[in-house]
């Protein structure tokens, strides 16, 4: 008997540097916050598995460099990805503004086919409500940005809260599976295969 192995859902994470993208992925992969000091990288690839609606799915995650001058390298990951995950920190307004000013134009210029976009606000554990900080980005602002950029879904998370971390990756996987099914249905209609 041949066992059919489903190919992993391919997701690409982008956003400014130092906003918690890598910590989010590592928290998902290791099921806890990494204890070693963060070392910036240009590109990290992770493979994992998670349960969505009672079914196990493999997920392949590309964690791209947040420095704006790596566009050429990132453009390859956009083409292969089934889900594009745009991240900002809820305590870094510059990273939030960078989504609309830099990341969305880059994603749109590198990806011809409309792929699911997930907007993720990270580091919610650092957002303070008792301080009048203009750096903090509210949930309502995140929802508005998601609508403005045409994101399929908006979520917030903290790498310290496993439920929110898992929710992010469940949303990513579900979006990728829906995209794959839609793409397969389109190919079937076009070519009868």
């Amino acid at each position: 008997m041949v066992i059919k192995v489903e190919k992993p859902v391919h997701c690409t994470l982008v956003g400014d540097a130092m906003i918690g993208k890598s910590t989010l992925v590592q928290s998902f992969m290791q099921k806890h916050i990494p204890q070693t000091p963060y070392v910036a990288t240009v590109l990290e690839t992770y493979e994992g598995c998670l349960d969505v609606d009672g079914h196990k799915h493999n997920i392949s995650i590309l964690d791209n460099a947040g420095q704006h001058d790596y566009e050429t390298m990132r453009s390859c990951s956009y083409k292969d990805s089934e889900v594009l995950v745009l991240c900002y920190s809820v305590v870094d307004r510059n990273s939030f503004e960078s989504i609309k000013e830099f990341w969305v134009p880059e994603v749109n210029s590198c990806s011809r086919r409309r792929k699911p976009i997930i907007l993720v606000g990270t580091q919610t554990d650092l957002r303070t409500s008792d301080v009048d900080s203009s750096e903090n980005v509210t949930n309502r602002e995140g929802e508005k940005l998601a609508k403005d950029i045409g994101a399929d879904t908006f979520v917030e998370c903290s790498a310290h809260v496993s439920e929110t971390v898992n929710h992010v990756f469940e949303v990513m996987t579900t979006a990728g599976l829906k995209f794959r099914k839609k793409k397969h249905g389109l190919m079937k209609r076009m070519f009868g295969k």
Side-chain angles (χ1 to χ4, degrees):
M1 178 167 85
V2 176
I3 297 173
K4 184 179 177 183
V5 177
E6 187 178 299
K7 73 176 189 167
V9 174
H10 292 278
C11 305
T12 295
L13 272 73
V14 294
D16 287 356
M18 306 303 290
I19 59 160
K21 294 185 311 288
S22 297
T23 304
L24 173 65
V25 176
Q26 291 171 4
S27 178
F28 170 71
M29 297 302 296
Q30 299 171 10
K31 306 300 180 208
H32 62 83
I33 297 290
Q35 300 302 313
T36 55
Y38 174 72
V39 178
T41 59
V42 175
L43 176 69
E44 286 289 333
T45 304
Y46 300 90
E47 298 281 335
C49 183
L50 75 159
D51 190 34
V52 178
D53 297 329
H55 300 286
K56 292 212 176 292
H57 297 281
N58 293 322
I59 184 169
S60 175
I61 307 155
L62 291 173
D63 177 14
N64 280 284
Q67 294 80 5
H68 289 194
D69 51 349
Y70 287 104
E71 181 179 358
T72 304
M73 182 211 52
R74 284 189 301 265
S75 67
C76 294
S77 67
Y78 296 142
K79 291 175 181 135
D80 295 335
S81 188
E82 295 171 290
V83 181
L84 304 172
V85 184
L86 281 58
C87 302
Y88 68 91
S89 169
V90 300
V91 294
D92 181 349
R93 187 159 293 277
N94 288 335
S95 72
F96 174 75
E97 292 168 356
S98 192
I99 294 291
K100 202 169 191 177
E101 295 168 3
F102 182 81
W103 296 108
V104 169
E106 180 179 286
V107 164
N108 288 341
S109 72
C110 295
S111 181
R112 290 189 303 244
R113 181 183 297 133
R114 171 66 171 102
K115 297 177 181 183
I117 294 176
I118 311 299
L119 180 64
V120 177
T122 63
Q123 301 180 328
T124 57
D125 56 298
L126 301 177
R127 182 166 49 199
T128 56
S129 58
D130 58 337
V131 178
D132 182 26
S133 174
S134 60
E135 283 297 302
N136 285 341
V137 179
T138 66
N139 183 276
R140 183 174 287 161
E141 289 175 297
E143 289 173 349
K144 182 180 180 323
L145 178 61
K147 185 177 180 181
D148 290 348
I149 66 171
D152 295 73
T153 307
F154 166 65
V155 292
E156 288 187 333
C157 66
S158 165
H160 294 275
V161 181
S162 61
E163 292 81 12
T164 65
V165 171
N166 289 337
H167 181 64
V168 169
F169 289 92
E170 287 168 9
V171 166
M172 288 166 43
T173 304
T174 301
L177 292 169
K178 285 180 182 175
F179 174 76
R180 186 180 289 172
K181 187 175 181 180
K182 183 178 175 183
K183 181 179 157 186
H184 180 71
L186 179 64
M187 295 296 279
K188 204 171 184 179
R189 284 193 305 273
M190 287 175 61
F191 301 108
K193 296 181 181 182

